[in-house]
Amino acid sequence: MNEFWQSLIRGLGNGSVYALLALGFVIIYKSMRVISFAQPAFMLAGAVIVTYLSDDVGFWAAAALAVAAVAVLGLGVERVAIRPMVGRPVFVVAIITLGLDILIRVVVGGFIGLDVRQVGDPWKLGTVGLFGVDVQQRYLAMLGAAVLCVLVLFLFFRYTRYGLAMRAASFDQESALAQGVDVGRVFAISWAMGTALAAIAGILVGAGTSVDQNIWIIALKALPAIILGGLDSLGGAVVGGLAIGVAEALVGTYQADHAPWLGENFASVTPYALMLAVLLVRPYGLFGTREVERV
């Protein structure tokens, strides 16, 4: 039973990272109707910035500065590369974000080099007893960070002027423009928020382990999360991320004993297998908006 609870908490921790990444994807998609394939690069950039600053200013200050820096980078990318493409085919904008991802990752990778870098987090590999089970503190930190971010986003979208504007623009851009909403500013805010969430996810991934040039691959698991929850659902992104994390952890723990015929490391493809299963049943996701076509 201890093994189950350890796997569950580990899955919730990793799933929290997937949820943060998925939230970034969904926020940008809801504002511009395009998937930003540059999120893995922003995730990597956030983690690397912390590795350079944590020794001088401490982990918490370095994390705050890294998130702010990546948010500013997201603003710049939106203004320079994405804003001029408004009105162009969605496919074109998606390809541009893919090119930005490669460009940013190459530049950031130069600051990593061939070695790994340490984030300098306060948890490292420390454990804590929780209901009689020893769990790594970093998984609890991941889950706590995700809960805090979700709470802040809820309050922002529910009670702030810009949050209301973003909700209106995501529903109907033309109607929002007619009501005086600055849609261009909505685009900018959505990119700043989406890239900041990616940076937080990158910092949490590096916490307790290390940062190398390949941690961006973790961001790819956010795609099954948004497909599972629904491409236009913020709540679905959270549920999808947590579900993917838990499924991956449980399969990694029990698959070798109960289904060895699936082969080694099947847990790494579990998110994509789950995504395919959901696509066959509900192509728009568990919480996504179902498109109705009238003939």
Side-chain angles (χ1 to χ4, degrees):
M1 184 58 71
N2 284 350
E3 186 180 46
F4 169 79
W5 288 112
Q6 288 177 340
S7 298
L8 179 62
I9 295 173
R10 182 173 68 253
L12 289 174
N14 291 330
S16 298
V17 172
Y18 306 154
L20 290 174
L21 288 164
L23 281 171
F25 276 108
V26 172
I27 288 174
I28 293 175
Y29 176 81
K30 284 177 70 68
S31 68
M32 303 192 71
R33 296 299 170 185
V34 64
I35 297 178
S36 170
F37 291 104
Q39 293 298 92
F42 293 117
M43 170 187 170
L44 180 63
V48 171
I49 292 173
V50 173
T51 65
Y52 276 92
L53 298 179
S54 59
D55 289 339
D56 297 326
V57 300
F59 172 77
W60 297 109
L65 291 173
V67 172
V70 173
V72 172
L73 177 61
L75 285 172
V77 166
E78 187 277 331
R79 191 65 183 89
V80 174
I82 305 301
R83 186 81 63 88
M85 295 293 107
V86 173
R88 301 293 179 88
V90 172
F91 176 76
V92 174
V93 183
I95 292 300
I96 289 176
T97 64
L98 186 60
L100 289 168
D101 173 70
I102 297 173
L103 174 63
I104 296 172
R105 280 197 288 111
V106 168
V107 173
V108 174
F111 290 93
I112 299 176
L114 300 178
D115 298 325
V116 297
R117 298 188 60 84
Q118 301 299 321
V119 171
D121 62 282
W123 312 289
K124 301 188 184 300
L125 297 178
T127 60
V128 62
L130 185 64
F131 303 113
V133 179
D134 290 333
V135 297
Q136 291 190 18
Q137 296 178 16
R138 66 191 183 105
Y139 294 127
L140 298 178
M142 291 175 178
L143 183 58
V147 171
L148 179 60
C149 288
V150 170
L151 178 60
V152 170
L153 287 175
F154 172 78
L155 295 175
F156 173 80
F157 285 116
R158 185 68 180 270
Y159 297 108
T160 68
R161 178 182 178 184
Y162 287 119
L164 180 61
M166 292 180 69
R167 289 166 57 193
S170 67
F171 182 76
D172 190 321
Q173 291 184 4
E174 292 184 359
S175 298
L177 281 169
Q179 296 297 322
V181 174
D182 188 342
V183 176
R185 183 170 296 178
V186 168
F187 291 164
I189 295 174
S190 66
W191 270 83
M193 293 175 63
T195 53
L197 289 169
I200 295 173
I203 295 168
L204 293 173
V205 169
T209 54
S210 58
V211 177
D212 58 27
Q213 298 194 26
N214 295 320
I215 69 167
W216 65 271
I217 296 176
I218 295 175
L220 299 181
K221 296 180 183 179
L223 293 176
I226 61 177
I227 296 300
L228 176 63
L231 196 57
D232 60 349
S233 172
L234 293 174
V238 177
V239 174
L242 295 177
I244 291 294
V246 170
E248 184 182 33
L250 293 178
V251 169
T253 300
Y254 296 107
Q255 176 260 321
D257 295 331
H258 299 282
W261 48 272
L262 289 174
E264 297 181 358
N265 298 322
F266 182 76
S268 61
V269 301
T270 299
Y272 308 101
L274 189 57
M275 177 186 70
L276 290 175
V278 172
L279 285 174
L280 291 174
V281 180
R282 295 176 67 91
Y284 43 86
L286 298 177
F287 304 96
T289 302
R290 185 173 184 175
E291 294 186 3
V292 179
E293 296 183 2
R294 301 184 183 275
V295 179

